[in-house]
Amino acid sequence: MYSTIFFDLYGTLIDLHTDEQADGAWTALRDALHAHGAEYTSLAELRRAFADEQAALEMRESARPDHELDLAPVYRNLFALKGIGATDEMVAQAAWAFRDGSTDYIRLYDGAIGLLDALRASGRRTVLLSNAQKLYTMPELEKFGLVPHLDTIFISSQAGWKKPSENFYRLALETTGADPAHTLMVGNDPQADIQGARRVGMDAAYLHTSDWFGDAPTAVAQFDGADYAGLLRFIEERK
């Protein structure tokens, strides 16, 4: 029944917790900026500059509530405020310094790669559909070796839309040529992953990996935690 499987990332394939208010994150960002001559005298100054740049970006995009921001211009402008013209590589280094510094823990759920490989071995396509910043997410995908196990990757900051926007789902469906009637979304967020998929005619399976979210009544299947064995059985049985 399902020839294509869409996956959420965080809480579905990767377990992650970050604290973007931690001083360590801002210290790492300040050091990365200083390494290229963009000197901020205090963390307070850097926090204000970042907040101002992000607020300005949000204001420009406020007419599109389901539009996803790309924070690359924020990082680029942190250099520009100090008279430094940043290259794409410098922007990526600064963003990753902040992300890495804010990360309390990150791990790949046990069996994630095995699940992706089993699905592909059965002739199914594996597609990532993640609400995330490309500057943060691509290094993490590469760190855990996930990229070769995914046929296509869609990241909201790059696409310009975020789940549960129908625009984001339709972009992924149209780009991959997937039939929504034969596509399953797998995720841990009842609204973004489950309801969003249902709006475009896709089935959705819910992985209850977080205490924050409750049940997902519109899901065709629900699993306690990252139960990949159960998920794989469900997919195989839905032929």
Side-chain angles (χ1 to χ4, degrees), residues 1-51:
M1 181 174 180
Y2 302 122
S3 57
T4 303
I5 314 297
F6 283 10
F7 285 94
D8 172 53
L9 181 59
Y10 301 110
T12 300
L13 298 174
I14 286 178
D15 188 16
L16 168 75
H17 184 269
T18 62
D19 181 1
E20 295 187 349
Q21 299 306 313
D23 282 349
W26 296 95
T27 298
L29 175 56
R30 184 181 65 178
D31 290 347
L33 294 167
H34 281 196
H36 296 286
E39 297 190 5
Y40 285 82
T41 58
S42 68
L43 296 186
E45 180 194 9
L46 178 55
R47 287 176 185 265
R48 285 194 301 270
F50 192 102

Side-chain angles (χ1 to χ4, degrees), residues 7 9 13-14 108 112-121 124-128 137-153:
F7 285 94
L9 181 59
L13 298 174
I14 286 178
L108 191 67
I113 288 179
L115 170 66
L116 296 174
D117 286 348
L119 290 169
R120 296 178 84 190
R124 296 177 175 90
R125 290 182 296 174
T126 56
V127 176
L128 186 73
T137 297
M138 286 308 301
E140 289 167 351
L141 291 175
E142 291 164 0
K143 174 180 179 179
F144 291 107
L146 281 169
V147 175
H149 305 276
L150 295 161
D151 291 294
T152 317
I153 295 170

